[in-house]
Amino acid sequence: MVIVIANYDENGLTQTLMDVKNWEELKSVLTPDIQGEHLHTPLLMYGAATITLANGATEQASIRLSRVVARLDVVNEAAVPAEPE
């Protein structure tokens, strides 16, 4: 299994990824909190593929990368006045 992580340095993960010793640790890596209204670019991206190596030969493979980003909108309904019925 090959896992590719792109733009990790720009997203503050260089040392965190250098400290990873196994797959289980990699699964638990969290990105730093993003504060503010705008995302910083370039966005963190990842991809994975199973590549079979034959007799130590160099292989070429295409790995599709996906952006690691989510948006969460929170509405404080307690702060919104109720509409008259």
Side-chain angles (χ1 to χ4, degrees), residues 1-8 17 23 26 43-51 61-68:
M1 172 73 70
V2 174
I3 295 179
V4 176
I5 301 172
N7 306 325
Y8 59 85
L17 292 174
W23 292 114
L26 183 60
L43 295 173
L44 188 65
M45 299 180 79
Y46 81 99
T50 301
I51 300 171
S62 295
I63 300 175
R64 179 181 298 260
L65 298 179
S66 300
R67 289 182 194 94
V68 181

Side-chain angles (χ1 to χ4, degrees), residues 21-75:
K21 303 290 186 251
N22 57 52
W23 292 114
E24 293 306 313
E25 287 182 15
L26 183 60
K27 290 178 188 178
S28 67
V29 169
L30 299 175
T31 61
D33 290 340
I34 297 173
Q35 306 266 332
E37 294 183 19
H38 302 288
L39 293 174
H40 301 282
T41 55
L43 295 173
L44 188 65
M45 299 180 79
Y46 81 99
T50 301
I51 300 171
T52 303
L53 300 177
N55 298 322
T58 302
E59 295 290 330
Q60 181 176 353
S62 295
I63 300 175
R64 179 181 298 260
L65 298 179
S66 300
R67 289 182 194 94
V68 181
V69 63
R71 176 181 167 166
L72 211 47
D73 292 327
V74 178
V75 177

